[in-house]
Amino acid sequence: MTRRQAVATDGAGSAATLSWRRRTAAVGAAVLLAATAACSSGDDGSDDGSGAQASGAREASPSASPDGKKNADGGGTPRCAAADLTLAVERSPGAADGRDYDLTLKNKTDSACLIKGRPRVFLLGEDGDTIGEAAAPVGRAGETVTLQPLTRAHATLHTADEGGDDGTGDGSCWARPHSLKVYPPGTGKALVAQSDQPRVCGGLFTVTALKW
């Protein structure tokens, strides 16, 4: 082999070696980039999964129970619905400055429910029309009452006592009611019970929060 041929051969070998090194470097860089992208993609997926899970947890409101009733305490005991309750009212003796009436809501179901606040109370005539105004709320909103099966929550209705026993003294009393219409707190449905009391006098008609 002549010297010129040897130089040419060495040049070709060097070129081939350089070309191989470049290809190796390129492949290595591509592998490194792919690995980096995979790691980055894995991290993003993990974050997205956590985000979706947190969002799902927020959307599942803790106040919703499996049977569709709202929970007053954010736990497993549902808020009392109107359909769970029965209504009654009777005179309470001993009021010093007027007349008091005990309004009771009884849990008629076989499971506990929660109730809190003041009921909305209306008096109805025989024709079903409202007599006067709804009872005005007085006092504090009260505490949450857990109504076990067949137990009662109580609110006090109050009115003035004018004139004689029947409250007809100066003619300022409303007409005697035929029934009582009550919306338990937290519900949009009413309970109706036939009753000729209370008869409101002096334009005074109030209701307290429910309690034991």
Side-chain angles (χ1 to χ4, degrees):
M1 177 182 298
T2 67
R3 187 170 179 279
R4 182 173 294 176
Q5 289 173 326
V7 171
T9 300
D10 289 344
S14 297
T17 300
L18 180 59
S19 177
W20 177 80
R21 287 178 179 172
R22 287 176 176 170
R23 287 197 302 272
T24 302
V27 171
V31 170
L32 180 60
L33 287 172
T36 301
C39 291
S40 175
S41 174
D43 290 344
D44 290 343
S46 175
D47 290 344
D48 288 344
S50 299
Q53 193 169 15
S55 175
R58 285 193 297 270
E59 289 172 5
S61 170
S63 66
S65 61
D67 62 2
K69 297 179 182 177
K70 289 183 179 297
N71 298 340
D73 63 349
T77 305
R79 180 179 294 160
C80 298
D84 301 332
L85 306 169
T86 59
L87 166 67
V89 63
E90 62 182 13
R91 176 83 179 268
S92 298
D97 58 346
R99 295 184 177 189
D100 286 345
Y101 297 83
D102 181 33
L103 183 153
T104 62
L105 296 176
K106 178 182 176 182
N107 180 5
K108 66 180 181 180
T109 72
D110 58 2
S111 58
C113 64
L114 304 179
I115 197 165
K116 178 182 179 180
R118 308 176 191 88
R120 287 188 294 153
V121 183
F122 299 85
L123 303 179
L124 303 180
E126 191 168 2
D127 56 4
D129 290 342
T130 301
I131 299 172
E133 304 292 335
V138 294
R140 297 183 178 181
E143 302 297 327
T144 299
V145 176
T146 302
L147 277 183
Q148 298 295 339
L150 305 182
T151 62
R152 295 173 175 84
H154 301 260
T156 298
L157 301 176
H158 180 74
T159 186
D161 186 7
E162 297 185 10
D165 244 0
D166 61 358
T168 59
D170 62 1
S172 66
C173 298
W174 297 354
R176 189 172 296 280
H178 179 265
S179 55
L180 197 68
K181 183 177 184 179
V182 175
Y183 290 86
T187 70
K189 294 185 177 181
L191 299 170
V192 177
Q194 187 170 336
S195 175
D196 63 356
Q197 53 187 355
R199 186 170 192 194
V200 174
C201 294
L204 178 63
F205 186 32
T206 63
V207 59
T208 66
L210 291 159
K211 61 183 180 179
W212 284 111

